[in-house]
Amino acid sequence: MAAVERALERLADTGRRHPDEQALLSSVLEGLRRRPKRISPVWFYDERGSCLFDEICELPEYYLTRVELSILRSRLSEIAASVGPDLCVIEPGSGTSTKTRMLLDALERPAAYVPVDVACEHLEAAAERLRGEHRGLKVHAICADFTAPFRIPEIAPFHNRLVYFPGSTIGNFDRHEAVQLLSHLRRVARGGSMLIGVDMVKDRHVMVAAYDDAAGVTAAFNLNALEHLNRRLGSDFDLAGFHHRAVWNAVSSRIEMHLVSRQRQLVRIGDDFVCFAAGEALVSEYSHKYTQETFAAMAGEAGWHIGQVWTDPREWFSVQRLVADCSTISAGDRGCRVHARRPSDTA
Ligand code: AVJ
């Protein structure tokens, strides 16, 4: 994802074709040559897309954010006590750090906060705000793709690392990718723990409505990915030629966001043309939903075991504390047992 964003930045800077632009074009074309055709959910998040996402979080149908916040709010002291004091909190894909603020307020003597995000300006602004609010908390923002290795500098002595991964972001990854990511985050946690937001399987009408709201905000969010592609790659997707669709894929246990071609059409992308049949779908996002069993099995494959699960009364969403399974930690991970007040070293 970072490679994509970096390439996008360069492209915006120079306005001409850079080797990275070629790589970006190639990766988009590679996705469009698959069956079904695919684009990365990264394309949702330009300026307008980020605003639309904030609007989605306020929609009556989009239960995820609201339910997760209600779980955090009602169980906060219990959650904070379970992870312990003097933590170095690392947040992959931190965005505006809204949910983090609640957590940091509840933790006992948080030592350091390390947000990791590809949206660099937003990241630094959020870090600065947190520095103002939490005197004594060391905040070190890392502008990076959290799916790739990143270095965590020595910024404060801490007791343990905690990876904070709310928002059901894990759902965007297919099973294989999710196991890889969870393993990577286990190495980042260095024998510490993780708090993760996980969306659960429920009545399919509830799930579909969350991704196909009556006001059409999600439809605009989905179509905006094509607008973003057009602007950054100079492609000529006709937005009126596609419509939004959200479907529940029961076999893979996921909501899929599709952009469906209204007619047979050719789209130019760079020097290439891609043909869409009438009714053909372009997949723009997967949002996997889990049962407690499927999630625990997946986390287990990545070397985590489930410490605790907090959920809402309807069990629509869950916040889970994962604990690194020491038996699976390899020499490369080092430090399964972390001593009190040990200064952090580099990741
Ligand atoms: C930010 C990935 C959690 O999958 O629900 C919202 C993104 N897509 N509406 C999700 C999203 C459509 C969201 N995540």
Side-chain angles (χ1 to χ4, degrees), residues 45 53 56 62 64 167-169 172 211 218 221 257 285 287 289:
Y45 301 99
F53 180 67
I56 287 174
Y62 196 74
L64 286 83
S168 181
T169 308
N172 279 175
Y211 295 84
T218 308
F221 176 71
M257 296 242 292
E285 184 178 51
S287 199
K289 312 299 171 192

Side-chain angles (χ1 to χ4, degrees), residues 62-103:
Y62 196 74
Y63 61 86
L64 286 83
T65 314
R66 225 176 358 262
V67 176
E68 183 174 33
L69 281 170
S70 78
I71 298 168
L72 287 172
R73 233 174 257 124
S74 60
R75 316 300 285 278
L76 202 53
S77 50
E78 209 184 303
I79 294 170
S82 77
V83 290
D86 306 305
L87 294 174
C88 170
V89 179
I90 300 155
E91 183 171 7
S94 50
T96 52
S97 305
T98 313
K99 291 167 194 148
T100 326
R101 211 164 256 112
M102 293 173 57
L103 180 70

Side-chain angles (χ1 to χ4, degrees), residues 3-186:
V4 173
E5 281 305 315
R6 269 196 301 278
L8 290 176
E9 291 311 319
R10 293 231 179 85
L11 193 56
D13 286 351
T14 61
R16 39 174 61 234
R17 198 157 298 182
H18 185 277
D20 279 1
E21 183 195 352
Q22 199 50 56
L24 186 62
L25 268 171
S26 308
S27 79
V28 170
L29 284 167
E30 189 270 320
L32 293 175
R33 274 193 284 269
R34 294 204 220 163
R35 295 297 174 268
K37 293 181 169 75
R38 286 221 54 187
I39 55 169
S40 163
V42 161
W43 292 103
F44 291 141
Y45 301 99
D46 60 356
E47 191 74 30
R48 175 154 184 269
S50 302
C51 291
L52 286 169
F53 180 67
D54 290 343
E55 256 186 75
I56 287 174
C57 294
E58 307 277 318
L59 292 170
E61 296 95 335
Y62 196 74
Y63 61 86
L64 286 83
T65 314
R66 225 176 358 262
V67 176
E68 183 174 33
L69 281 170
S70 78
I71 298 168
L72 287 172
R73 233 174 257 124
S74 60
R75 316 300 285 278
L76 202 53
S77 50
E78 209 184 303
I79 294 170
S82 77
V83 290
D86 306 305
L87 294 174
C88 170
V89 179
I90 300 155
E91 183 171 7
S94 50
T96 52
S97 305
T98 313
K99 291 167 194 148
T100 326
R101 211 164 256 112
M102 293 173 57
L103 180 70
L104 289 171
D105 283 339
L107 288 176
E108 193 179 334
R109 295 188 308 267
Y113 174 54
V114 182
V116 185
D117 205 299
V118 283
C120 307
E121 290 98 71
H122 281 76
L123 181 69
E124 220 5 272
E128 200 45 50
R129 244 175 290 129
L130 276 167
R131 278 186 200 106
E133 292 165 15
H134 291 263
R135 308 260 153 221
L137 178 74
K138 300 281 186 233
V139 181
H140 181 91
I142 298 180
C143 185
D145 173 1
F146 66 75
T147 63
F150 50 85
R151 294 183 71 80
I152 301 174
E154 282 176 54
I155 48 170
F158 65 91
H159 178 63
N160 245 332
R161 284 185 177 182
L162 170 71
V163 172
Y164 187 48
F165 198 37
S168 181
T169 308
I170 191 66
N172 279 175
F173 299 86
D174 69 28
R175 198 178 190 286
H176 176 76
E177 294 167 338
V179 169
Q180 280 191 319
L181 176 59
L182 291 173
S183 305
H184 164 56
L185 294 177
R186 181 174 50 74

Side-chain angles (χ1 to χ4, degrees), residues 190-298:
R190 289 272 193 83
S193 56
M194 167 147 73
L195 280 176
I196 184 169
V198 179
D199 196 19
M200 309 307 273
V201 175
K202 61 189 66 61
D203 180 336
R204 59 184 286 270
H205 298 104
V206 172
M207 294 187 290
V208 170
Y211 295 84
D212 194 11
D213 60 281
V217 182
T218 308
F221 176 71
N222 198 6
L223 283 160
N224 182 61
L226 298 181
E227 184 96 60
H228 189 193
L229 274 165
N230 283 349
R231 191 174 64 253
R232 307 309 279 269
L233 289 184
S235 53
D236 70 350
F237 280 97
D238 171 16
L239 271 66
F242 290 86
H243 72 265
H244 165 71
R245 180 172 74 191
V247 292
W248 170 245
N249 177 336
V251 172
S252 304
S253 194
R254 65 191 178 208
I255 290 286
E256 298 184 3
M257 296 242 292
H258 294 173
L259 287 157
V260 184
S261 180
R262 294 185 192 275
Q263 66 268 328
R264 179 184 159 81
Q265 56 180 320
L266 277 181
V267 177
R268 189 183 53 76
I269 296 148
D271 302 324
D272 271 276
F273 285 88
V274 174
C275 182
F276 285 84
E280 185 178 354
L282 166 59
V283 178
S284 52
E285 184 178 51
Y286 292 143
S287 199
H288 291 81
K289 312 299 171 192
Y290 308 90
T291 64
Q292 196 42 49
E293 293 70 35
T294 58
F295 184 75
M298 188 171 89

